[in-house]
Structures are given as structure tokens and as C-alpha cells.
Amino acid sequence: QAQLVESGGGLVQAGSSLRLSCAASGCFFSMYAMGWFRQAPGKEREFVAAIGLSGNNTYYADSVKGRFTISRDNAKNTVYLQMNSLKPEDTAVYYCAARKFLPQIARDEYDYWGQGTQVTVSS
């Protein structure tokens, strides 16, 4: 069973950058597609980005396209989310998630979740 631990969140000003990391254990990481989701207060958890097994296939929500980059290092069992040009509306708890084989944008398709890391962007 996969365990996921996110890190890298924090409080930053608008226009800044952050890089989130998600370390996986207890699974064959290279067999799992990975996703990042976020949940703002009072809102549903929404898709941010996803990446396929090799890292060649990536998918993004329209709201982050061109600003965020998802990547993975299978040797380190880690997936990253580089977030640039952050906006106050990016404020949320960010979760990484895992599912076998193919990436999906629907949160219900993911089997394993981390505990989340808070990202707060001040204006």
C-alpha cells in the first residue's frame, strides 16, 4: 500500500514560486501515475496536474497551465510541483495522489492520498 508525504508548502507573496514535493513509499513508484490536487476553504478538491509513469505525459488544469510544472524522479520515488507566478487564488491545501498506470484528472480515480501541505499566497 502506497504512503505519500507532501512537503514544501508555505506562505509566500503573489508572484513568488514554490516547489512542492511528494515522497512515496510502500509501492513500486514507477507503476503509479501521480496527481496533484488542491482544496481551498469551502470548496471542493480540484485537479491541478497529473503525470504518467515515465514523466513524458503531463496534464494541467487550465487555471495553472503555463505557471505550474509537474515532474517526477522515479529513482527518488518523488513527484514535484513547481509553482511559479503564484496568485492569491492558488491558496489551498495541496494533495498528491497515486493510482496505478494511467493518469486521470478525476479525484475519485486515485487510490492513495497524502495528508496535504498548505500553500498560502498573500496579495
Side-chain angles (χ1 to χ4, degrees):
Q1 186 167 349
Q3 289 87 45
L4 306 174
V5 179
E6 302 96 335
S7 61
L11 171 62
V12 297
Q13 291 187 334
S16 300
S17 298
L18 276 177
R19 188 176 81 155
L20 305 183
S21 299
C22 173
S25 61
C27 65
F28 290 105
F29 183 71
S30 59
M31 292 178 60
Y32 284 79
M34 302 298 295
W36 284 98
F37 292 76
R38 66 186 182 186
Q39 188 168 17
K43 296 188 176 181
E44 292 191 352
R45 193 171 300 187
E46 65 176 5
F47 170 76
V48 175
I51 189 166
L53 301 185
S54 66
N56 290 336
N57 297 324
T58 56
Y59 308 88
Y60 297 94
D62 287 343
S63 59
V64 307
K65 203 171 291 184
R67 299 188 298 122
F68 290 12
T69 302
I70 187 171
S71 62
R72 65 188 295 161
D73 185 337
N74 286 347
K76 295 183 177 180
N77 287 5
T78 301
V79 63
Y80 304 97
L81 186 68
Q82 177 67 43
M83 305 186 295
N84 299 330
S85 303
L86 282 161
K87 304 175 181 179
E89 51 263 43
D90 294 319
T91 295
V93 177
Y94 283 71
Y95 299 89
C96 71
R99 71 182 307 276
K100 277 192 173 178
F101 307 126
L102 297 177
Q104 298 286 343
I105 65 172
R107 65 177 185 267
D108 292 344
E109 295 288 340
Y110 286 80
D111 300 308
Y112 303 104
W113 291 84
Q115 83 289 347
T117 186
Q118 177 71 47
V119 172
T120 304
V121 185
S122 63
S123 57

